[in-house]
Amino acid sequence: MGNVSERRKQPPQVGVSVVILALGPVPQSDVGAGAASSGMGSTLWMPLVKRVRQPFLGQWALPGGGLRADHSLEQSAYAALESTTSLHPKYLEQLYTFGDPARSHGGLPMVSIVYWALVGEADGRIDFAGGDNVKWFPVNHLPELAFDHRTIVEYAMNRLRGKIESPDIATRLVGERFTLSQLHDVYEAIAGQRIDLANFRRKMLASGLLEDTGEKLRIGRNRPAAVYRYSRKPGTDLWTEAGTASESDDTRIAFQDDDALSALMTA
Amino acid sequence: MGNVSERRKQPPQVGVSVVILALGPVPQSDVGAGAASSGMGSTLWMPLVKRVRQPFLGQWALPGGGLRADHSLEQSAYAALESTTSLHPKYLEQLYTFGDPARSHGGLPMVSIVYWALVGEADGRIDFAGGDNVKWFPVNHLPELAFDHRTIVEYAMNRLRGKIESPDIATRLVGERFTLSQLHDVYEAIAGQRIDLANFRRKMLASGLLEDTGEKLRIGRNRPAAVYRYSRKPGTDLWTEAGTASESDDTRIAFQDDDALSALMTA
DNA sequence: TCAAAAGTGTTAAATCTACACCCATGC
DNA sequence: GCATGGGTGTAGATTTAACACTTTTGA
């Protein structure tokens, strides 16, 4: 295996990891009260896997795996995703690549290309209890993580908060049909701040991205709320469905930061 | 070297490339008219290197190199930068990681971690003519590029356009001292649109990020303009100087997308 | 005095924000 | 009726966009 000074000039290992986020109930509290299944006071959850080898044996880590030369990055991310949940991601995007030699902490030098994924709430189909080696945690009650995965998660959360202004990102989390209050809950959950409901509602509706399905949904015993759907304008649709990870992941990069400078523009 | 099916399971090669951008004069035209050196109608330029081996021998490509296990990503990016220009970058940030097996086009499978860098105009110290193996090109007149580097450059430009709303990014391009018109030029150059000067001026000043050095600068033979400096508020300074690539590149990631959702917030 | 760029004013429209208010429903 | 969340109205403040205007300079 060569000695140390040889190894230094070698390329490092390459892996792909995924930060997976899903909407779930608030941790240890009011689930009791009658309500059907979804709604009120959501929190973000993410699955972690228990390490089965050194270093950090037994600790929790992000799902991931080595990169094979004949797989695209996105394919690898997708594979990692499937190792923890059978749900199809509503969103999958490259987050950042971490490659500092120091981060391996006793393991081999490793470059990790990290993706983040959103999977919808999917009507409680997520098993938040989880098995032995995979377990879901609320993002604000994570256990100690292996390597620098804590940093990575924090980065992902920040990015999520930053991205929320794009209206569809939240709708991907909340599910196919939703009331404005539910959507509002998600926004507050992600932002960690209060958002004026009246203004939120208006802004959302004004964006023209929501479509009123005729339906009504009664959450508790109160007035039924209108149920909306995210109306995917044909063509505006960069992403459609993350599941179809068939095309090259290089050619349809989301130019997410676009039109940010519209602020400075003048006709 | 093993056969093909063995190779597939191997990890791919890992490299780091850099898209380097600098402000320069407009290509082939009105440089003649008297004016001192800088000003009016700038364009973005970038250096490319000529490939000295197959595939794509003789074609132009982004500066870059292999990643050594004992180097951080940023160190590698920095090294690539130095191979084409002696200027210190004013900005250096990870752009994206490209890893589709198809992109190698006959070479070995390769994962490229791409950074982008801004180097200031530096008062014409850039040799836009360049040597044999390194040459600067205006971004809108690039030659044919090797691999998928065209895609990468386009991605970088889009990102740049997206980022410009953050006021300091443009000031990094324009140099240490500048007039508002110069800054305005840069914004228009990046945006590719007209921007109302009066409003631009007000918004910039209102941002509180500019500091009036007492100086005046006369560009042509007209009224002298006030010279400003970007006033780096102490602490707000995530970046300070890209040159000091000493710390881990993993710990001080710029959370660039922050406060984007301020739009939805309400106290 | 003229041209050209620097820099200021102004006004109508659009948007935000905060908060008050009405509506529909089951108990 | 009444409590509770759904949903609407609105007045004031703030921000934008457009463009007219004044100032300073060298020629």
Side-chain angles (χ1 to χ4, degrees):
Chain A
M1 264 224 157
N3 61 29
V4 173
S5 64
E6 260 177 33
R7 152 137 277 130
R8 293 213 168 151
K9 306 202 175 172
Q10 296 297 112
Q13 299 297 113
V14 192
V16 175
S17 301
V18 193
V19 175
I20 304 165
L21 296 168
L23 210 56
V26 289
Q28 71 275 55
S29 56
D30 39 73
V31 190
S37 59
S38 55
M40 38 188 50
S42 322
T43 321
L44 291 172
W45 293 65
M46 61 184 294
L48 298 171
V49 302
K50 196 180 274 178
R51 280 187 60 79
V52 294
R53 58 178 80 167
Q54 292 291 358
F56 297 100
L57 201 169
Q59 281 204 39
W60 296 100
L62 294 174
L67 175 64
R68 287 174 42 168
D70 60 342
H71 279 32
S72 76
L73 302 179
E74 192 175 295
Q75 279 167 351
S76 296
Y78 206 77
L81 231 161
E82 283 180 329
S83 73
T84 64
T85 175
S86 59
L87 300 174
H88 280 324
K90 299 281 181 38
Y91 193 85
L92 180 63
E93 188 195 291
Q94 189 180 304
L95 180 66
Y96 196 78
T97 299
F98 298 81
D100 194 277
R103 64 186 291 270
S104 52
H105 284 290
L108 300 174
M110 178 82 150
V111 168
S112 291
I113 299 146
V114 180
Y115 276 72
W116 63 285
L118 301 183
V119 302
E121 184 180 23
D123 298 319
R125 270 194 285 136
I126 299 174
D127 181 9
F128 286 116
D132 265 1
N133 293 315
V134 179
K135 196 168 160 202
W136 289 77
F137 296 87
V139 288
N140 31 11
H141 293 111
L142 293 182
E144 205 175 339
L145 298 185
F147 303 106
D148 54 353
H149 289 187
R150 176 97 215 185
T151 308
I152 294 176
V153 169
E154 265 153 27
Y155 185 45
M157 291 308 296
N158 265 74
R159 183 86 154 242
L160 176 57
R161 277 188 262 272
K163 289 221 120 182
I164 201 182
E165 32 76 275
S166 142
D168 69 328
I169 197 93
T171 56
R172 292 210 148 92
L173 258 176
V174 79
E176 223 264 307
R177 286 142 188 283
F178 48 86
T179 70
L180 281 178
S181 307
Q182 289 174 322
L183 191 57
H184 177 249
D185 272 3
V186 178
Y187 271 76
E188 287 194 336
I190 295 177
Q193 292 179 52
R194 292 244 135 263
I195 300 174
D196 182 290
L197 180 53
N199 296 329
F200 174 80
R201 154 190 300 281
R202 259 186 299 258
K203 198 173 292 189
M204 272 303 158
L205 264 356
S207 78
L209 293 166
L210 301 187
E211 186 179 322
D212 192 341
T213 75
E215 309 166 51
K216 298 281 175 186
L217 174 63
R218 177 161 41 261
I219 296 282
R221 62 197 177 290
N222 308 309
R223 173 174 174 179
V227 175
Y228 290 86
R229 168 200 307 129
Y230 182 66
S231 76
R232 30 193 103 219
K233 296 286 171 61
T236 326
D237 210 27
L238 288 243
W239 248 85
T240 58
E241 187 55 39
T244 61
S246 47
E247 334 173 27
S248 151
D249 61 334
D250 298 347
T251 51
R252 59 149 169 56
I253 303 158
F255 289 138
Q256 69 277 44
D257 291 315
D258 264 355
D259 80 303
L261 87 165
S262 50
L264 275 304
M265 295 300 107
T266 277
Chain B
M1 267 225 159
N3 63 28
V4 172
S5 65
E6 261 177 33
R7 152 135 278 128
R8 292 212 169 152
K9 306 202 176 173
Q10 296 297 109
Q13 298 297 112
V14 191
V16 174
S17 301
V18 193
V19 176
I20 303 166
L21 296 168
L23 211 56
V26 289
Q28 73 275 53
S29 57
D30 38 74
V31 190
S37 59
S38 55
M40 39 188 48
S42 322
T43 322
L44 291 172
W45 293 66
M46 61 183 295
L48 297 171
V49 302
K50 196 181 275 176
R51 280 188 60 82
V52 294
R53 59 178 79 167
Q54 292 291 359
F56 296 101
L57 201 168
Q59 282 205 38
W60 296 101
L62 294 173
L67 175 63
R68 286 174 42 169
D70 60 341
H71 279 30
S72 76
L73 303 179
E74 192 176 294
Q75 279 167 352
S76 296
Y78 206 76
L81 230 161
E82 283 179 329
S83 73
T84 63
T85 175
S86 59
L87 299 174
H88 280 325
K90 299 281 183 36
Y91 193 85
L92 179 63
E93 188 194 291
Q94 189 180 304
L95 180 65
Y96 196 78
T97 298
F98 298 81
D100 195 276
R103 63 187 292 270
S104 51
H105 284 292
L108 299 173
M110 178 82 150
V111 168
S112 290
I113 299 145
V114 180
Y115 276 72
W116 62 286
L118 302 183
V119 302
E121 185 179 25
D123 298 317
R125 270 193 285 137
I126 299 175
D127 180 10
F128 287 115
D132 265 1
N133 292 316
V134 179
K135 198 169 159 200
W136 288 77
F137 297 87
V139 289
N140 32 11
H141 293 111
L142 292 182
E144 205 175 340
L145 298 186
F147 303 106
D148 54 353
H149 289 188
R150 177 95 214 187
T151 309
I152 294 177
V153 170
E154 266 154 27
Y155 184 45
M157 290 307 297
N158 265 73
R159 182 84 156 242
L160 176 57
R161 277 187 263 271
K163 289 220 119 182
I164 200 182
E165 31 77 275
S166 141
D168 69 327
I169 198 97
T171 56
R172 292 210 147 93
L173 258 176
V174 79
E176 223 265 307
R177 286 143 187 284
F178 48 86
T179 70
L180 280 178
S181 305
Q182 288 174 322
L183 191 57
H184 177 248
D185 272 3
V186 178
Y187 271 76
E188 287 194 337
I190 296 177
Q193 291 179 54
R194 293 245 135 263
I195 299 173
D196 183 288
L197 180 52
N199 295 329
F200 174 81
R201 153 191 301 281
R202 259 186 298 260
K203 198 172 292 190
M204 272 302 159
L205 263 355
S207 78
L209 293 166
L210 301 187
E211 187 179 321
D212 192 340
T213 75
E215 309 167 51
K216 297 281 175 185
L217 174 63
R218 175 160 42 260
I219 297 283
R221 62 193 175 293
N222 308 311
R223 173 174 176 179
V227 174
Y228 290 85
R229 168 202 304 131
Y230 182 66
S231 74
R232 31 192 102 220
K233 297 286 171 62
T236 326
D237 210 25
L238 288 241
W239 247 85
T240 58
E241 186 54 41
T244 60
S246 46
E247 334 173 28
S248 150
D249 61 333
D250 298 346
T251 51
R252 56 149 173 54
I253 303 157
F255 289 136
Q256 70 276 44
D257 291 315
D258 265 354
D259 80 301
L261 86 165
S262 49
L264 274 304
M265 296 301 108
T266 277

